Amino acid sequence: VKLGPTNVVDHVRAIVLPKGSMHLAVDAVPDELGDDPMRRHARAQELARTLGTSVAKDADAFAELLPELVTNNGLLWPFGMGLTDGAPDRKAFWDQLVHQFSKTPAEHRCVEVLRGYVHGLHASDPILTDTILDEAVTNDVLVPWYPVLQAVVPIDDAGVRRLLRSLDHPNAHAWAYRALAAGGAVY
């Protein structure tokens, strides 16, 4: 009898949302990649993105996993990119993610799936990306996280204006602006 995940939800929980160490996700990658941990990690990220695409096409799986996607660590960045790839209505998916994020107690929120979603969305729809970032900068729940969301895409003139506007919001937190210090987002 072979033990292991039998459906997409179980696969996501095993690969993307492992309890404990991130190494579990890498260890779950098939052995044909050998012992090279970098290749296995890259494969785990590819698998996470593919699973995100599958979940985006399965409304029941998305609904079941949604609370876990905004509260866990794991391979949520590539998974969020996969959600973008497979979402039949990208704005509606974003709205569902944000709604679940807002329902989650602040101390349990994890923004990585949102960051992956924004990053993935920008590659194919920069106009919609600007729309959701415009909304994020005025959203009481998202504004503390706004700088880390903005930092995953190029910061153009609109991004600079949003960042300046976010500084005036009473829910803005100085720690979040550290995400901009690493560079790479300004083009």
Side-chain angles (χ1 to χ4, degrees):
V1 174
K2 184 177 179 180
L3 297 176
T6 59
N7 59 49
V8 70
V9 171
D10 290 343
H11 274 93
V12 169
R13 288 181 177 140
I15 303 296
V16 178
L17 302 170
K19 300 294 181 200
S21 172
M22 278 291 293
H23 298 291
L24 294 175
V26 174
D27 291 341
V29 174
D31 286 332
E32 70 264 5
L33 295 177
D35 291 331
D36 182 351
M38 296 303 289
R39 285 182 46 191
R40 289 174 67 103
H41 184 70
R43 177 66 181 123
Q45 290 187 337
E46 289 172 26
L47 215 56
R49 187 169 184 161
T50 300
L51 286 167
T53 302
S54 296
V55 167
K57 295 175 181 179
D58 183 338
D60 292 334
F62 182 65
E64 183 175 343
L65 289 165
L66 188 54
E68 297 171 66
L69 298 178
V70 297
T71 60
N72 282 297
N73 288 310
L75 293 173
L76 286 164
W77 177 289
F79 184 83
M81 292 173 61
L83 287 175
T84 304
D85 296 340
D89 181 338
R90 291 172 167 173
K91 178 64 165 79
F93 260 66
W94 173 257
D95 291 342
Q96 289 178 67
L97 286 165
V98 170
H99 178 71
Q100 186 64 48
F101 191 76
S102 69
K103 288 179 16 179
T104 302
E107 66 273 12
H108 296 295
R109 291 178 184 150
C110 180
V111 73
E112 284 306 297
V113 74
L114 300 175
R115 294 180 76 219
Y117 196 90
V118 170
H119 182 77
L121 182 62
H122 184 267
S124 60
D125 195 341
I127 293 170
L128 180 56
T129 304
D130 275 343
T131 298
I132 65 174
L133 289 173
D134 285 342
E135 292 173 4
V137 79
T138 61
N139 180 302
D140 288 341
V141 173
L142 289 181
V143 78
W145 299 96
Y146 172 74
V148 299
L149 294 173
Q150 179 64 66
V152 302
V153 298
I155 301 174
D156 55 11
D157 290 340
V160 170
R161 285 190 297 274
R162 282 190 298 263
L163 283 164
L164 292 172
R165 206 171 25 169
S166 73
L167 289 167
D168 292 330
H169 197 285
N171 290 352
H173 296 295
W175 59 263
Y177 293 86
R178 284 186 281 167
L180 302 168
V186 181
Y187 292 86

